[in-house]
Amino acid sequence: MDKFLCGIDLGGTKINTVIITNKGEMVSSYTLPTLAHEGPEKVIQRMKETVYKVLEDAKLDVSDLEGIGVASPGPLDAKKGIVLNPPNLPGWIDITLAKILEDEFKIPVKLQNDANCAALAEYYFGAGNRTKNFVYITISTGIGGGAIIDGKLYDGANSNAAEFGHASINFDGEKCQCGSYGCFEMYASGTALANFAAKEIEKGRESVIKDIAKDGKITAKDVFEAYKMGDNLAKELIEREAFYLGVGIANIIMNYNPEVIALGGGVANGFDILYPIMIKTVEERCYKASFEGCKIVKAKLGQNSGAIGAAVLNIVFSKN
Ligand SMILES: [Zn+2]
């Protein structure tokens, strides 16, 4: 009988762990808060705890698993299984995570960038539907993604490929924390949308956004909420968001010539609202053939995509 696959999505706020079959069916899942401020040792302890819990819930033994995959924030070294120094995991410096978990569970452990894992999950079991040339873009706090080229995850020389959010779309723009200027995510991420809203309101623009925002802190979700209420400022901001997304996606299409692009992350919840202006902008800025050969769709797997993709690493890289 085929073995089961275990995936851990190590996020800045939560650890989400799943066991799936090799057809992508969910067997069990469990989530714990990361409590990242407590440092790597305690976080890793909680990661182990989630694995024992999903095994117990699924009535399985470690020996029933093909292996464990971990989706981690970057930067990391996937080949060596080392988490380098992610900004949202304080105290993590060159942590040999794969080895630490292998020592605990005595089965192979693979590590990969979280957005790449989500891309793999969508490719295998979600919106990608195993189309050979597939791109996944996540639009939330930042913008990230992953690219499947000719049926294989392309992760580059050191697992940093497909950092779509840091393609510059304005060379005169503000400096980004990555070192470049006017990066895609500075215009089109959920954070950017919320910041643009806050700036307009500071200038005195009337809008229900500030009434919706809890504790005065505006989020992208608040802007979409206001849009649905017919708010004028929200309409302007969302239209601009859709335009920026179109510009960024056009670049991605010209780079990768994919058959399918799936959009995930919080902002993609507004997919239907964003679509008309986004698609028009993409069409204006791409080769006709590339545009016509590419479907832009909403991602399917939601919150579990990172963990499912991590589990899939056991199949994808099992021969390495
Ligand atoms: Zn950047």
Side-chain angles (χ1 to χ4, degrees), residues 200-289:
E200 288 302 318
I201 286 164
E202 248 169 61
K203 280 193 234 158
R205 279 288 298 271
E206 276 308 311
S207 166
V208 297
I209 296 172
K210 63 176 182 296
D211 306 321
I212 298 170
K214 288 191 196 88
D215 314 321
K217 181 140 180 40
I218 296 165
T219 65
K221 200 164 166 244
D222 300 332
V223 183
F224 278 99
E225 212 53 40
Y227 175 92
K228 288 177 196 156
M229 293 165 70
D231 185 78
N232 279 331
L233 174 60
K235 183 167 182 283
E236 263 173 50
L237 292 167
I238 297 281
E239 284 175 4
R240 213 163 55 169
E241 167 72 22
F243 168 71
Y244 292 144
L245 278 177
V247 172
I249 291 170
N251 286 339
I252 293 167
I253 291 180
M254 291 303 256
N255 276 300
Y256 290 87
N257 189 199
E259 293 153 81
V260 178
I261 294 180
L263 306 187
V267 173
N269 289 328
F271 185 86
D272 295 338
I273 294 170
L274 297 163
Y275 191 81
I277 291 178
M278 180 178 79
I279 199 76
K280 181 172 166 280
T281 311
V282 173
E283 185 173 17
E284 284 165 3
R285 289 167 183 251
C286 279
Y287 283 155
K288 192 167 185 282

Coordinates of all heavy atoms in Angstrom, one line a residue, residues 200-289:
E200 N -4.9 58.2 2.0 CA -6.0 59.0 1.5 C -6.8 59.6 2.6 O -7.3 60.7 2.6 CB -6.8 58.2 0.5 CG -6.2 57.9 -0.8 CD -5.8 59.2 -1.6 OE1 -6.6 60.2 -1.6 OE2 -4.7 59.2 -2.1
I201 N -7.1 58.7 3.6 CA -7.9 59.1 4.7 C -7.2 60.2 5.6 O -7.8 61.2 6.0 CB -8.3 57.9 5.6 CG1 -9.4 57.1 4.7 CG2 -8.9 58.3 6.9 CD1 -9.7 55.8 5.2
E202 N -5.9 60.0 5.7 CA -5.1 61.0 6.4 C -5.2 62.4 5.7 O -5.2 63.4 6.4 CB -3.6 60.6 6.4 CG -3.1 60.3 7.8 CD -1.7 59.6 7.6 OE1 -0.8 60.3 7.1 OE2 -1.6 58.4 8.0
K203 N -5.3 62.3 4.4 CA -5.4 63.6 3.6 C -6.8 64.2 3.8 O -7.1 65.3 3.2 CB -5.2 63.3 2.1 CG -3.7 63.2 1.8 CD -3.5 63.2 0.2 CE -2.8 62.1 -0.3 NZ -3.0 61.8 -1.7
G204 N -7.7 63.5 4.4 CA -9.0 64.0 4.7 C -10.1 63.5 3.8 O -11.2 64.0 3.8
R205 N -9.8 62.5 3.0 CA -10.9 61.9 2.1 C -12.0 61.2 2.9 O -11.7 60.5 3.9 CB -10.3 60.8 1.2 CG -9.6 61.4 0.0 CD -10.5 61.9 -1.1 NE -11.4 60.9 -1.6 CZ -11.2 60.1 -2.7 NH1 -10.0 60.2 -3.3 NH2 -12.0 59.3 -3.1
E206 N -13.2 61.5 2.6 CA -14.3 60.9 3.2 C -14.5 59.4 2.8 O -14.4 59.1 1.6 CB -15.6 61.6 2.9 CG -15.9 62.8 3.8 CD -15.8 62.5 5.3 OE1 -16.5 61.5 5.7 OE2 -15.1 63.3 6.0
S207 N -14.7 58.5 3.7 CA -14.8 57.1 3.3 C -15.3 56.3 4.5 O -15.0 56.6 5.7 CB -13.5 56.6 2.9 OG -13.5 55.2 2.8
V208 N -16.1 55.2 4.2 CA -16.5 54.4 5.4 C -15.4 53.5 5.8 O -15.5 52.8 6.8 CB -17.8 53.5 5.0 CG1 -19.0 54.4 4.7 CG2 -17.5 52.6 3.8
I209 N -14.3 53.5 5.1 CA -13.2 52.6 5.4 C -12.8 52.8 6.9 O -12.6 51.8 7.6 CB -12.0 52.8 4.5 CG1 -12.3 52.4 3.1 CG2 -10.8 51.9 5.0 CD1 -11.3 52.7 2.0
K210 N -12.7 54.0 7.3 CA -12.2 54.3 8.7 C -13.2 53.8 9.7 O -12.8 53.5 10.8 CB -11.8 55.7 8.8 CG -12.9 56.8 8.7 CD -12.3 58.2 9.0 CE -13.3 59.2 8.9 NZ -13.9 59.4 7.5
D211 N -14.5 53.7 9.3 CA -15.5 53.2 10.3 C -15.4 51.7 10.4 O -15.7 51.1 11.4 CB -16.9 53.6 9.9 CG -17.0 55.2 9.7 OD1 -16.4 55.9 10.4 OD2 -17.7 55.6 8.7
I212 N -15.0 51.1 9.3 CA -15.0 49.6 9.3 C -13.7 49.1 10.0 O -13.8 48.1 10.7 CB -15.0 49.1 7.8 CG1 -16.2 49.5 7.1 CG2 -14.8 47.6 7.8 CD1 -16.2 49.2 5.6
A213 N -12.6 49.9 9.9 CA -11.3 49.5 10.4 C -11.4 49.3 11.9 O -11.9 50.3 12.6 CB -10.3 50.5 10.0
K214 N -11.0 48.2 12.4 CA -11.0 48.0 13.9 C -9.7 48.7 14.5 O -8.6 48.6 14.0 CB -10.9 46.5 14.2 CG -12.2 45.8 13.9 CD -12.1 44.4 14.5 CE -13.2 43.5 13.9 NZ -12.9 42.9 12.6
D215 N -9.9 49.3 15.6 CA -8.8 50.1 16.3 C -8.1 51.0 15.4 O -6.9 51.3 15.6 CB -7.8 49.1 16.9 CG -8.4 47.9 17.6 OD1 -9.4 48.1 18.3 OD2 -7.9 46.8 17.4
G216 N -8.8 51.5 14.4 CA -8.2 52.5 13.5 C -7.1 51.9 12.5 O -6.5 52.6 11.8
K217 N -6.9 50.6 12.6 CA -5.9 50.0 11.7 C -6.6 49.4 10.5 O -7.3 48.4 10.6 CB -5.1 48.9 12.5 CG -4.0 48.3 11.7 CD -2.8 48.0 12.5 CE -1.7 47.4 11.6 NZ -1.6 47.9 10.2
I218 N -6.3 50.1 9.4 CA -7.0 49.6 8.1 C -6.3 48.4 7.5 O -5.1 48.3 7.5 CB -7.0 50.8 7.1 CG1 -7.8 52.0 7.6 CG2 -7.5 50.4 5.7 CD1 -7.5 53.3 6.9
T219 N -7.1 47.4 7.1 CA -6.6 46.3 6.4 C -7.2 46.2 4.9 O -8.1 46.9 4.6 CB -7.0 45.0 7.1 OG1 -8.4 44.8 7.0 CG2 -6.6 44.9 8.5
A220 N -6.6 45.4 4.1 CA -7.1 45.2 2.7 C -8.5 44.8 2.8 O -9.3 45.2 1.9 CB -6.2 44.3 2.0
K221 N -8.8 43.9 3.7 CA -10.2 43.4 3.8 C -11.2 44.5 4.1 O -12.3 44.5 3.5 CB -10.2 42.4 5.0 CG -11.3 41.4 5.0 CD -11.1 40.3 5.9 CE -12.4 39.5 6.1 NZ -12.9 39.6 7.5
D222 N -10.8 45.5 4.9 CA -11.7 46.6 5.1 C -12.0 47.4 3.8 O -13.1 47.9 3.6 CB -11.0 47.6 6.1 CG -10.7 47.0 7.4 OD1 -11.4 46.0 7.8 OD2 -9.8 47.4 8.1
V223 N -11.0 47.5 3.0 CA -11.2 48.2 1.7 C -12.2 47.5 0.8 O -13.1 48.1 0.2 CB -9.8 48.5 1.0 CG1 -10.0 49.3 -0.3 CG2 -8.8 49.2 1.9
F224 N -12.0 46.2 0.8 CA -13.0 45.4 0.0 C -14.4 45.5 0.6 O -15.4 45.6 -0.2 CB -12.6 43.9 -0.1 CG -11.5 43.6 -1.1 CD1 -10.2 43.5 -0.8 CD2 -11.9 43.5 -2.5 CE1 -9.2 43.3 -1.8 CE2 -10.9 43.3 -3.5 CZ -9.6 43.2 -3.1
E225 N -14.5 45.5 1.9 CA -15.7 45.6 2.6 C -16.4 46.9 2.2 O -17.6 47.0 1.8 CB -15.4 45.6 4.1 CG -16.4 45.1 5.0 CD -16.9 43.7 4.7 OE1 -16.1 42.8 4.3 OE2 -18.0 43.5 4.8
A226 N -15.6 48.0 2.2 CA -16.2 49.3 1.9 C -16.6 49.4 0.4 O -17.6 50.0 0.0 CB -15.1 50.4 2.1
Y227 N -15.8 48.7 -0.5 CA -16.1 48.6 -1.9 C -17.5 48.1 -2.1 O -18.3 48.6 -2.9 CB -15.1 47.8 -2.6 CG -15.4 47.5 -4.1 CD1 -14.9 48.4 -5.1 CD2 -16.2 46.5 -4.5 CE1 -15.2 48.2 -6.4 CE2 -16.5 46.3 -5.8 CZ -16.0 47.1 -6.8 OH -16.3 46.9 -8.1
K228 N -17.8 47.0 -1.4 CA -19.1 46.3 -1.5 C -20.2 47.2 -1.0 O -21.4 47.1 -1.4 CB -19.1 45.0 -0.7 CG -18.3 44.0 -1.4 CD -18.2 42.7 -0.6 CE -17.1 41.8 -1.0 NZ -16.6 40.9 0.0
M229 N -19.9 48.2 -0.1 CA -20.9 49.1 0.4 C -21.1 50.3 -0.6 O -21.8 51.3 -0.3 CB -20.5 49.6 1.8 CG -20.6 48.5 2.8 SD -19.7 48.9 4.3 CE -20.8 50.2 5.0
G230 N -20.3 50.3 -1.7 CA -20.4 51.4 -2.7 C -19.6 52.6 -2.4 O -19.8 53.7 -2.9
D231 N -18.6 52.5 -1.5 CA -17.7 53.6 -1.1 C -16.8 54.0 -2.3 O -16.2 53.2 -2.9 CB -16.8 53.1 0.1 CG -16.0 54.2 0.6 OD1 -16.5 55.0 1.4 OD2 -14.8 54.3 0.3
N232 N -16.8 55.4 -2.5 CA -16.1 55.9 -3.7 C -14.6 55.7 -3.6 O -13.9 55.3 -4.5 CB -16.3 57.4 -3.8 CG -17.7 57.6 -4.6 OD1 -18.1 56.8 -5.4 ND2 -18.4 58.7 -4.2
L233 N -14.0 56.0 -2.4 CA -12.6 55.9 -2.2 C -12.2 54.4 -2.4 O -11.2 54.1 -3.1 CB -12.1 56.4 -0.9 CG -10.6 56.1 -0.5 CD1 -9.7 56.8 -1.5 CD2 -10.3 56.6 0.9
A234 N -12.9 53.5 -1.8 CA -12.6 52.1 -1.9 C -12.7 51.7 -3.4 O -11.8 50.9 -3.8 CB -13.6 51.3 -1.1
K235 N -13.6 52.2 -4.1 CA -13.7 51.8 -5.6 C -12.4 52.3 -6.3 O -11.9 51.5 -7.1 CB -15.0 52.5 -6.2 CG -15.2 52.2 -7.6 CD -16.6 52.6 -8.1 CE -16.9 52.2 -9.5 NZ -16.2 53.1 -10.5
E236 N -12.0 53.5 -6.1 CA -10.8 54.0 -6.7 C -9.6 53.1 -6.3 O -8.8 52.7 -7.2 CB -10.4 55.4 -6.1 CG -10.9 56.5 -7.0 CD -10.6 57.9 -6.2 OE1 -9.5 58.1 -5.7 OE2 -11.6 58.7 -6.1
L237 N -9.5 52.8 -5.0 CA -8.3 52.0 -4.6 C -8.3 50.6 -5.1 O -7.3 50.1 -5.5 CB -8.3 51.9 -3.0 CG -8.1 53.2 -2.3 CD1 -8.4 53.1 -0.8 CD2 -6.6 53.7 -2.4
I238 N -9.5 50.0 -5.2 CA -9.6 48.6 -5.7 C -9.3 48.6 -7.2 O -8.6 47.7 -7.8 CB -11.0 48.0 -5.5 CG1 -11.3 47.9 -4.0 CG2 -11.2 46.7 -6.2 CD1 -10.6 46.8 -3.2
E239 N -9.8 49.7 -7.9 CA -9.5 49.7 -9.4 C -8.0 49.9 -9.6 O -7.4 49.3 -10.5 CB -10.3 50.9 -10.0 CG -11.7 50.5 -10.2 CD -12.6 51.7 -10.7 OE1 -12.0 52.7 -11.0 OE2 -13.8 51.5 -10.8
R240 N -7.3 50.6 -8.8 CA -5.9 50.8 -8.9 C -5.2 49.5 -8.5 O -4.2 49.1 -9.2 CB -5.4 52.0 -8.0 CG -4.3 52.7 -8.6 CD -4.1 54.1 -8.0 NE -4.0 53.9 -6.5 CZ -3.6 54.9 -5.7 NH1 -3.3 56.1 -6.2 NH2 -3.5 54.7 -4.4
E241 N -5.7 48.9 -7.5 CA -5.1 47.6 -7.1 C -5.2 46.6 -8.3 O -4.2 45.9 -8.6 CB -5.9 47.0 -5.9 CG -5.7 45.5 -5.6 CD -4.3 45.3 -4.9 OE1 -3.7 46.2 -4.4 OE2 -3.8 44.1 -5.0
A242 N -6.3 46.5 -8.9 CA -6.5 45.6 -10.1 C -5.6 46.0 -11.2 O -5.0 45.1 -11.8 CB -8.0 45.7 -10.5
F243 N -5.4 47.3 -11.4 CA -4.4 47.7 -12.5 C -3.0 47.3 -12.1 O -2.3 46.7 -13.0 CB -4.5 49.2 -12.6 CG -3.4 49.8 -13.4 CD1 -3.4 49.6 -14.8 CD2 -2.4 50.6 -12.9 CE1 -2.3 50.2 -15.6 CE2 -1.4 51.1 -13.6 CZ -1.3 50.9 -15.0
Y244 N -2.6 47.6 -10.9 CA -1.2 47.2 -10.5 C -1.0 45.6 -10.6 O 0.0 45.2 -11.1 CB -0.9 47.6 -9.1 CG -0.8 49.1 -8.8 CD1 -1.3 49.7 -7.7 CD2 -0.2 49.9 -9.8 CE1 -1.2 51.0 -7.5 CE2 -0.1 51.3 -9.6 CZ -0.6 51.8 -8.4 OH -0.5 53.2 -8.2
L245 N -2.0 44.9 -10.2 CA -1.9 43.4 -10.3 C -1.8 43.0 -11.8 O -1.0 42.2 -12.1 CB -3.2 42.8 -9.8 CG -3.3 42.6 -8.3 CD1 -4.6 41.9 -7.9 CD2 -2.1 41.7 -7.8
G246 N -2.5 43.7 -12.7 CA -2.4 43.4 -14.1 C -1.0 43.7 -14.6 O -0.5 42.9 -15.4
V247 N -0.4 44.8 -14.2 CA 0.9 45.1 -14.6 C 1.9 44.0 -14.2 O 2.7 43.5 -15.0 CB 1.4 46.5 -14.1 CG1 2.9 46.8 -14.3 CG2 0.5 47.6 -14.6
G248 N 1.8 43.6 -13.0 CA 2.7 42.6 -12.4 C 2.5 41.3 -13.1 O 3.5 40.6 -13.4
I249 N 1.3 40.9 -13.3 CA 1.0 39.6 -13.9 C 1.4 39.6 -15.4 O 1.9 38.6 -15.9 CB -0.5 39.3 -13.7 CG1 -0.8 39.0 -12.3 CG2 -1.0 38.1 -14.6 CD1 -2.3 38.9 -11.9
A250 N 1.3 40.7 -16.1 CA 1.7 40.8 -17.5 C 3.2 40.5 -17.5 O 3.7 39.7 -18.4 CB 1.4 42.2 -18.0
N251 N 4.0 41.0 -16.6 CA 5.4 40.7 -16.5 C 5.7 39.2 -16.4 O 6.5 38.6 -17.0 CB 6.1 41.5 -15.4 CG 6.3 42.9 -15.6 OD1 6.2 43.4 -16.8 ND2 6.4 43.7 -14.6
I252 N 4.9 38.6 -15.5 CA 5.1 37.2 -15.2 C 4.7 36.4 -16.4 O 5.4 35.4 -16.8 CB 4.2 36.8 -14.0 CG1 4.7 37.5 -12.7 CG2 4.2 35.3 -13.8 CD1 3.8 37.4 -11.5
I253 N 3.7 36.8 -17.1 CA 3.3 36.0 -18.4 C 4.4 36.2 -19.4 O 4.8 35.2 -20.1 CB 1.9 36.5 -18.9 CG1 0.8 36.1 -18.0 CG2 1.7 36.0 -20.3 CD1 -0.6 36.6 -18.4
M254 N 5.0 37.4 -19.5 CA 6.0 37.6 -20.5 C 7.3 36.8 -20.1 O 8.1 36.4 -21.0 CB 6.4 39.1 -20.7 CG 5.2 39.8 -21.3 SD 4.8 39.2 -23.0 CE 5.5 40.4 -24.0
N255 N 7.5 36.6 -18.8 CA 8.7 35.8 -18.4 C 8.5 34.3 -18.5 O 9.4 33.6 -18.9 CB 9.0 36.1 -16.9 CG 9.8 37.4 -16.7 OD1 10.9 37.4 -17.2 ND2 9.3 38.4 -16.1
Y256 N 7.3 33.8 -18.2 CA 7.1 32.4 -18.0 C 6.2 31.8 -19.0 O 6.2 30.5 -19.2 CB 6.5 32.1 -16.6 CG 7.5 32.3 -15.5 CD1 7.6 33.6 -14.9 CD2 8.3 31.3 -15.0 CE1 8.5 33.8 -13.8 CE2 9.2 31.5 -13.9 CZ 9.3 32.8 -13.4 OH 10.2 33.0 -12.3
N257 N 5.4 32.5 -19.7 CA 4.5 32.0 -20.7 C 3.7 30.8 -20.2 O 3.6 29.8 -20.8 CB 5.3 31.6 -22.0 CG 4.4 31.2 -23.2 OD1 4.9 30.6 -24.1 ND2 3.2 31.6 -23.2
P258 N 3.0 31.0 -19.0 CA 2.3 29.9 -18.4 C 1.0 29.6 -19.0 O 0.4 30.5 -19.7 CB 2.1 30.3 -16.9 CG 2.1 31.8 -17.0 CD 3.0 32.2 -18.2
E259 N 0.5 28.4 -18.8 CA -0.9 28.0 -19.3 C -1.9 28.5 -18.3 O -3.1 28.8 -18.6 CB -1.0 26.5 -19.5 CG -0.1 26.0 -20.6 CD 0.2 24.5 -20.4 OE1 -0.6 23.7 -20.7 OE2 1.3 24.3 -19.9
V260 N -1.6 28.4 -17.0 CA -2.5 28.8 -15.9 C -1.7 29.6 -14.9 O -0.6 29.2 -14.5 CB -3.1 27.5 -15.2 CG1 -4.0 27.9 -14.1 CG2 -3.9 26.6 -16.2
I261 N -2.4 30.7 -14.4 CA -1.9 31.4 -13.3 C -3.0 31.3 -12.2 O -4.1 31.7 -12.5 CB -1.6 32.9 -13.6 CG1 -0.4 33.0 -14.6 CG2 -1.2 33.6 -12.3 CD1 0.0 34.4 -15.0
A262 N -2.6 30.9 -11.0 CA -3.6 30.9 -9.9 C -3.2 31.9 -8.9 O -2.1 32.0 -8.5 CB -3.6 29.5 -9.3
L263 N -4.2 32.7 -8.5 CA -4.0 33.7 -7.5 C -4.5 33.3 -6.1 O -5.7 32.9 -6.0 CB -4.7 35.0 -7.9 CG -4.4 35.6 -9.2 CD1 -5.1 37.0 -9.4 CD2 -2.9 35.7 -9.5
G264 N -3.6 33.3 -5.1 CA -4.0 32.9 -3.8 C -3.7 34.1 -2.8 O -3.3 35.1 -3.2
G265 N -3.9 33.8 -1.5 CA -3.7 34.8 -0.5 C -4.9 35.7 -0.3 O -5.9 35.6 -1.1
G266 N -4.9 36.4 0.8 CA -6.1 37.2 1.2 C -6.7 38.1 0.1 O -7.9 38.1 0.0
V267 N -5.9 38.8 -0.6 CA -6.4 39.7 -1.6 C -7.1 39.0 -2.7 O -8.1 39.5 -3.3 CB -5.2 40.6 -2.2 CG1 -5.7 41.4 -3.4 CG2 -4.7 41.5 -1.1
A268 N -6.7 37.7 -3.0 CA -7.4 36.9 -4.0 C -8.8 36.5 -3.6 O -9.6 36.1 -4.5 CB -6.6 35.7 -4.3
N269 N -9.2 36.8 -2.4 CA -10.6 36.6 -2.0 C -11.5 37.6 -2.8 O -12.7 37.3 -3.0 CB -10.9 36.8 -0.5 CG -10.3 35.7 0.3 OD1 -10.2 34.5 -0.2 ND2 -9.8 35.9 1.5
G270 N -10.9 38.7 -3.2 CA -11.6 39.7 -4.0 C -11.4 39.4 -5.5 O -11.6 40.3 -6.3
F271 N -11.1 38.2 -5.9 CA -10.8 37.9 -7.3 C -11.8 38.4 -8.3 O -11.4 39.0 -9.3 CB -10.6 36.3 -7.4 CG -10.2 35.9 -8.8 CD1 -8.8 35.8 -9.1 CD2 -11.1 35.5 -9.8 CE1 -8.4 35.4 -10.3 CE2 -10.7 35.1 -11.0 CZ -9.3 35.0 -11.3
D272 N -13.1 38.1 -8.0 CA -14.1 38.5 -9.0 C -14.2 40.0 -9.2 O -14.5 40.5 -10.2 CB -15.5 37.9 -8.6 CG -15.5 36.4 -8.6 OD1 -14.6 35.8 -9.3 OD2 -16.3 35.8 -7.9
I273 N -14.0 40.7 -8.1 CA -14.0 42.2 -8.1 C -12.9 42.7 -8.9 O -13.0 43.7 -9.7 CB -14.0 42.8 -6.7 CG1 -15.3 42.4 -6.0 CG2 -13.8 44.3 -6.7 CD1 -15.3 42.7 -4.5
L274 N -11.7 42.2 -8.7 CA -10.5 42.6 -9.3 C -10.4 42.2 -10.8 O -9.7 42.9 -11.6 CB -9.2 42.1 -8.6 CG -9.1 42.5 -7.1 CD1 -8.1 41.6 -6.4 CD2 -8.6 43.9 -7.1
Y275 N -11.0 41.1 -11.2 CA -10.8 40.5 -12.5 C -10.9 41.4 -13.7 O -10.0 41.4 -14.5 CB -11.6 39.2 -12.6 CG -11.2 38.4 -13.8 CD1 -10.2 37.5 -13.7 CD2 -11.9 38.5 -15.0 CE1 -9.8 36.7 -14.8 CE2 -11.6 37.7 -16.1 CZ -10.5 36.8 -16.0 OH -10.1 36.1 -17.0
P276 N -12.0 42.1 -13.8 CA -12.2 42.9 -15.1 C -11.1 43.8 -15.5 O -10.5 43.8 -16.6 CB -13.5 43.6 -14.9 CG -14.2 42.9 -13.8 CD -13.2 42.3 -12.9
I277 N -10.7 44.7 -14.5 CA -9.6 45.6 -14.8 C -8.2 44.9 -14.9 O -7.4 45.3 -15.7 CB -9.6 46.8 -13.7 CG1 -10.9 47.6 -13.9 CG2 -8.3 47.6 -13.8 CD1 -11.0 48.7 -12.9
M278 N -8.1 43.9 -14.0 CA -6.8 43.2 -14.0 C -6.6 42.5 -15.4 O -5.5 42.7 -16.0 CB -6.9 42.1 -12.9 CG -5.7 41.3 -12.8 SD -5.9 40.1 -11.4 CE -6.9 38.9 -12.2
I279 N -7.6 41.9 -15.9 CA -7.4 41.1 -17.1 C -7.3 42.0 -18.3 O -6.5 41.8 -19.2 CB -8.6 40.1 -17.3 CG1 -8.3 39.0 -18.3 CG2 -9.9 40.8 -17.8 CD1 -7.4 38.0 -17.7
K280 N -7.9 43.2 -18.3 CA -7.8 44.2 -19.3 C -6.4 44.7 -19.4 O -5.8 44.8 -20.5 CB -8.8 45.3 -19.1 CG -8.8 46.4 -20.1 CD -10.0 47.4 -19.9 CE -9.8 48.7 -20.6 NZ -8.8 49.6 -20.1
T281 N -5.8 45.0 -18.2 CA -4.4 45.5 -18.1 C -3.5 44.4 -18.6 O -2.5 44.7 -19.4 CB -4.1 45.9 -16.7 OG1 -5.1 46.7 -16.2 CG2 -2.8 46.6 -16.6
V282 N -3.7 43.2 -18.2 CA -2.8 42.1 -18.7 C -2.8 42.0 -20.2 O -1.8 41.9 -20.9 CB -3.2 40.7 -18.1 CG1 -2.4 39.6 -18.7 CG2 -3.1 40.8 -16.5
E283 N -4.0 42.1 -20.7 CA -4.2 41.9 -22.2 C -3.4 43.0 -23.0 O -2.8 42.8 -24.0 CB -5.7 42.0 -22.6 CG -5.9 41.7 -24.1 CD -7.4 41.6 -24.4 OE1 -8.2 42.0 -23.6 OE2 -7.6 41.0 -25.5
E284 N -3.5 44.3 -22.4 CA -2.9 45.4 -23.1 C -1.3 45.3 -23.0 O -0.7 45.9 -23.8 CB -3.3 46.7 -22.3 CG -4.7 47.2 -22.7 CD -5.2 48.2 -21.7 OE1 -4.4 48.6 -20.8 OE2 -6.3 48.6 -21.8
R285 N -0.8 44.5 -22.1 CA 0.6 44.5 -21.9 C 1.4 43.2 -22.2 O 2.5 43.0 -21.7 CB 0.9 44.9 -20.4 CG 0.6 46.4 -20.2 CD 0.5 46.7 -18.7 NE 0.1 48.1 -18.6 CZ 0.9 49.1 -18.2 NH1 2.1 48.8 -17.8 NH2 0.5 50.4 -18.1
C286 N 0.7 42.3 -22.9 CA 1.3 41.0 -23.2 C 1.3 40.7 -24.7 O 0.4 41.3 -25.4 CB 0.5 39.9 -22.6 SG 0.9 39.6 -20.9
Y287 N 2.1 39.8 -25.1 CA 1.9 39.3 -26.4 C 0.6 38.6 -26.5 O 0.2 38.0 -25.6 CB 3.0 38.1 -26.7 CG 4.4 38.6 -27.0 CD1 5.4 37.8 -26.8 CD2 4.6 39.8 -27.6 CE1 6.7 38.2 -27.1 CE2 5.9 40.2 -27.9 CZ 6.9 39.4 -27.7 OH 8.2 39.8 -28.0
K288 N -0.1 38.9 -27.6 CA -1.5 38.3 -27.8 C -1.5 36.8 -27.6 O -2.4 36.3 -26.8 CB -1.9 38.7 -29.2 CG -3.4 38.5 -29.4 CD -3.8 39.2 -30.8 CE -5.3 39.1 -31.0 NZ -5.8 37.8 -31.5
A289 N -0.6 36.1 -28.2 CA -0.6 34.7 -28.1 C -0.4 34.2 -26.6 O -1.0 33.3 -26.2 CB 0.5 34.1 -29.0

